Structures are given as C-alpha cells and as structure tokens.
Amino acid sequence: MVSNIFYEAFQTNSPWMISLIIINLILCIYPILGAMFWFFGAISYVLFRQKEELPPKAEITTEPFVTIMIPAHNEEIVIKSTLEYLLTQLNYHNYEVLVMDDGSDDRTPEILRSMQAKHSRLRVIRIEQNQGKAHAFNIGLFFAKGEYILSNDADTIPETDALIKYMQYFTSTNEINYAAITANMDVYNRSSLWGKSQTVEFSSIVGIIKRSQTAINNTMYAYSGANTMYRRDFLINVTPKFAPDIVFHMNVPETFHDLYRQRKRWAQGGTEVWLSNFLKVFRHPWQYRFIIPMLTDTTLSIIWSFFFWITSIIFIITMLYFAIIGNYERIWHGIVMSMIFVNFQLIAGLFQVLAALILDFNGSKLRYLMFSPLYLLFTWIVNPLTIVTTFHKAIKTVTGHGSGKWVSPERKVVDNDGKF
C-alpha cells in the first residue's frame, strides 16, 4: 500500500508530483524573487516616499524630555566610552540616560557607579538576575521619566544631532501620527574585511528593506532595538517610520566567530517575532493586512533556510554516490545546474546591493561594492544555518519554556572620547 502511494506520487502526471515540483521551484527561485522585490521596493521609495524625509536644516522650537535607555550585560569594554559620548557629545539638553544593568558579573557595575558620581543625568537600574534584553527594556520603562524613549545599545552611538532630528520628525505636521521613528544604522569599524562586508550588508538588508516596507505599506514589520525612539504614551501600540537621515554608528564583530554568534542571536530574535505575529495575523488578517507581505517574506525565508540545508546535504550525498560509482557525467551535470541557479541569485543580489548603496548616504558607500560577494556568500550560507540551528530555541522562548538570557559578544576596545 505504502509503495503504491509513493509510486503514484512520483509519476509526472501525479498531482503529488506536480505540487512537489511547484513547491521546489518556488523555494529555488525565492532568493531571486526576494532580491528583486526589495530592489523594486527601493525604487518605489524613491518615487513615492523619499520626499517625506525632512530637510536637513529643519528646526525645533522645544526640547521634550527624552530618556535614552541602554540594556547592558557585561559591557565593560564599551560602556564607559558609549556613556561618555551620550552624556557629553549630543546637541540636546533635556534628556537623561538610563542604564538597565542586567545581571552583569564583570566590571560593568563598578564603571557605572563611577560614572554616576560624575554625571547627574545618568541613572542605573540593577537587575540581579540576567533575563535578557527585552526583559531589561521592559523593566526600564517603569523607571524612565522621558516623554520620549530612545532605545540604544551599549555598542552603538548616534550622530550628535540625532535627538534633534528625531524631534523634527515627531513635531512635524506631516508626522504627527507616528509613534516610533527608527534611524539608519551604519558600520563604524570598517578597517577589517568583515567590517567592510557588513557595511554592504547594513545598507542592502537593513536600509533597503526598511525603505521598501515604508514605500509599500508606510509601516515596518519590526524595528531595531538599537536606534528607535518611541512616544512613551503610545509605546504599547506603535506606528513606526524609517528615518534614513538619522544615523547611528555600530561597532560590529570583526571575526567570523563573533559574527556567527551575533547572527545566531539575530536569527532567534527574528524567529521569535515571526512566531509571535503569525497566529495573530492568521486570526485577524484584515486588521493586520499591512504586515502580511513582510510576514509572508519572513515565512518563506524560514522555510527556505530549512530547504537550502536539506537539499544541500542531499546534493552532496548524491554527488558522492555518483563519484563512487564513477558516473562523472551526472556530477558535471549537477555542478552546471547548481552554478546556473547561483549565477541568477548573484545577479539578483547585486541589483539589490547596488540599489542600496546608491540610496544610502547619497552613494558614498559605492566604494564597498567590491566586498558584496563576501556578504552575499555569508547571507546565503550562514544566515540560513543560524535560522535552522536556533529555531527550536525560539519556539521554547515564545512558548514560555526557554530563557531570554543574553551573552554579550566580544567587543573591540574603544578610546575615551566615545569614538570606536
């Protein structure tokens, strides 16, 4: 009985086989379609949304009180320089810095106590047990005094006019209904090969995708915890906007080991967001219709990650089998077909990267285009692996059986003026 079912499934005129072929084809060309989708989304942003960016010399008449919130766990390498910068270099006066020390067991608490003695606008909340960044941020909300809340990572510094620019958006008549503004993330440490490659990635992934989401739906699927400002009164239910003219500088990993660990954290967090929203959208599709395209893309990305590694393993085993039996013609055929798909993906990926580098900072990043192959290789091989290997952890966390604890990455030593 079972053998008959499988036999019928693999007949060319079988509905099972037709469905399998269609699904396989969709998953094979998904990276190509995804890259072209974001490419045309970027063009749509230029045509329909770029005019919404505020003029660079816009002014504000008042300075609403802002709380800069920094969840921190074992950040002894970077926390002092980041805080010195935030407390002394910003072109804004009416603000405080609130650090949520999430169970640090290095010199972070000692550094924070020393800095509190020198800076009256610095406050520290000590959380004895490490329970994760999201938990620390939620705790901080109860203690924040600001009318506006800026989330800021311990290794991230905004441009000096960032708070002024945020307020330009929030107080503009065109943006009065927005409750959250996400800034544009840039790479600070570009001296290494990995740093240069991530410069390409931040533009082509973060920048172009957020522009596309803004162009298509005038909203975003998710926003960064490192550079987003919220209206405190609307923090529970926000309508976000991407502001590419507000720039934050991030100290990125400079070794493959640290980069891989970072991407595992990002992959797990992204899957948790997807799991948290999937059922909500499924139950109320009309209410959440604006995020359906982004949710669909994320769903396909997760499915494709499993598909990529499963089929890659099958391909390697098959090629080894043909090598053992001496069928070199089939090996050559398999390699040629694989290279055809890879070339199509590479061309589509380069379209996305090129559009992103032209849009970001008026094309000043085009000199990093030569590093895009390394970025594309990393994206197509490592990112799917991080999704697959952290999927079960994301399920445990969302269902309440996992832990949100974080482990801080290795940091690069920074100097005392707040510059990396």
Side-chain angles (χ1 to χ4, degrees), residues 104-150:
S104 297
D105 54 12
D106 63 353
R107 294 184 58 250
T108 299
E110 176 187 339
I111 295 172
L112 292 175
R113 285 193 297 270
S114 173
M115 298 199 68
Q116 271 190 291
K118 297 188 298 181
H119 300 282
S120 59
R121 59 164 47 122
L122 173 62
R123 294 195 294 139
V124 178
I125 305 298
R126 171 69 179 179
I127 303 172
E128 291 300 330
Q129 184 177 0
N130 172 15
Q131 298 187 52
K133 181 177 180 178
H135 177 265
F137 185 84
N138 290 334
I139 293 294
L141 291 178
F142 291 99
F143 296 91
K145 299 177 181 179
E147 179 182 353
Y148 294 86
I149 309 293
L150 173 63

Side-chain angles (χ1 to χ4, degrees), residues 66 72 78 91 159 162 213-214 233-234 251 254 312 331 360 371 377:
V66 174
V78 297
N91 295 331
E159 60 176 319
Q213 292 173 355
T214 301
D233 293 342
F234 298 96
N251 186 22
E254 294 190 300
S312 294
I331 294 176
D360 227 13
F371 300 99
L377 182 65

Side-chain angles (χ1 to χ4, degrees), residues 158-405:
E159 60 176 319
T160 56
D161 290 334
L163 297 188
I164 294 177
K165 289 184 177 180
Y166 276 120
M167 290 307 151
Q168 291 169 358
Y169 274 98
F170 279 118
T171 58
S172 169
T173 55
N174 295 329
E175 316 296 341
I176 195 68
N177 293 322
Y178 284 107
I181 304 293
T182 291
N184 196 5
M185 190 65 75
D186 190 23
V187 173
Y188 195 97
N189 50 322
R190 304 177 186 175
S191 58
S192 69
L193 182 61
W194 288 114
K196 290 180 173 65
S197 300
Q198 288 174 86
T199 300
V200 175
E201 182 182 19
F202 272 60
S203 292
S204 59
I205 291 292
V206 179
I208 201 171
I209 288 180
K210 290 189 182 301
R211 283 183 173 91
S212 299
Q213 292 173 355
T214 301
I216 295 169
N217 293 321
N218 199 27
T219 187
M220 287 177 292
Y221 177 60
Y223 27 89
S224 171
N227 61 349
T228 300
M229 181 178 283
Y230 310 85
R231 293 184 195 268
R232 181 188 178 94
D233 293 342
F234 298 96
L235 192 57
I236 302 303
N237 187 17
V238 301
T239 302
K241 178 179 178 60
F242 179 53
D245 52 330
I246 305 177
V247 181
F248 275 63
H249 304 283
M250 182 178 182
N251 186 22
V252 299
E254 294 190 300
T255 66
F256 179 83
H257 175 261
D258 292 336
L259 185 59
Y260 180 71
R261 288 177 57 189
Q262 179 196 64
R263 297 314 158 89
K264 286 183 68 176
R265 296 194 304 274
W266 288 9
Q268 182 175 341
T271 304
E272 289 171 5
V273 172
W274 174 75
L275 289 169
S276 300
N277 284 278
F278 188 84
L279 288 179
K280 182 170 62 176
V281 174
F282 182 78
R283 292 168 181 166
H284 307 284
W286 181 252
Q287 180 181 352
Y288 299 102
R289 61 191 181 278
F290 296 113
I291 68 171
I292 288 178
M294 287 84 81
L295 189 67
T296 301
D297 177 69
T298 305
T299 303
L300 287 173
S301 177
I302 293 173
I303 295 174
W304 180 82
S305 297
F306 283 90
F307 169 81
F308 173 80
W309 278 103
I310 291 172
T311 54
S312 294
I313 293 172
I314 293 175
F315 177 80
I316 293 172
I317 293 174
T318 303
M319 293 298 102
L320 289 174
Y321 169 75
F322 287 141
I324 292 173
I325 65 175
N327 193 341
Y328 302 112
E329 181 181 353
R330 293 298 300 271
I331 294 176
W332 173 250
H333 180 265
I335 293 174
V336 170
M337 292 300 296
S338 299
M339 293 306 299
I340 291 175
F341 275 106
V342 168
N343 284 329
F344 274 110
Q345 291 178 8
L346 179 62
I347 293 171
L350 287 176
F351 269 102
Q352 177 182 342
V353 168
L354 186 60
L357 294 178
I358 292 174
L359 277 177
D360 227 13
F361 304 103
N362 298 316
S364 63
K365 290 184 177 181
L366 275 171
R367 64 184 183 274
Y368 295 105
L369 181 63
M370 68 178 69
F371 300 99
S372 57
L374 180 60
Y375 145 69
L376 293 170
L377 182 65
F378 184 88
T379 300
W380 291 336
I381 296 179
V382 178
N383 282 3
L385 179 62
T386 60
I387 291 176
V388 171
T389 55
T390 61
F391 191 80
H392 67 289
K393 295 181 181 179
I395 293 177
K396 290 176 63 177
T397 300
V398 170
T399 56
H401 298 92
S403 171
K405 292 183 179 181

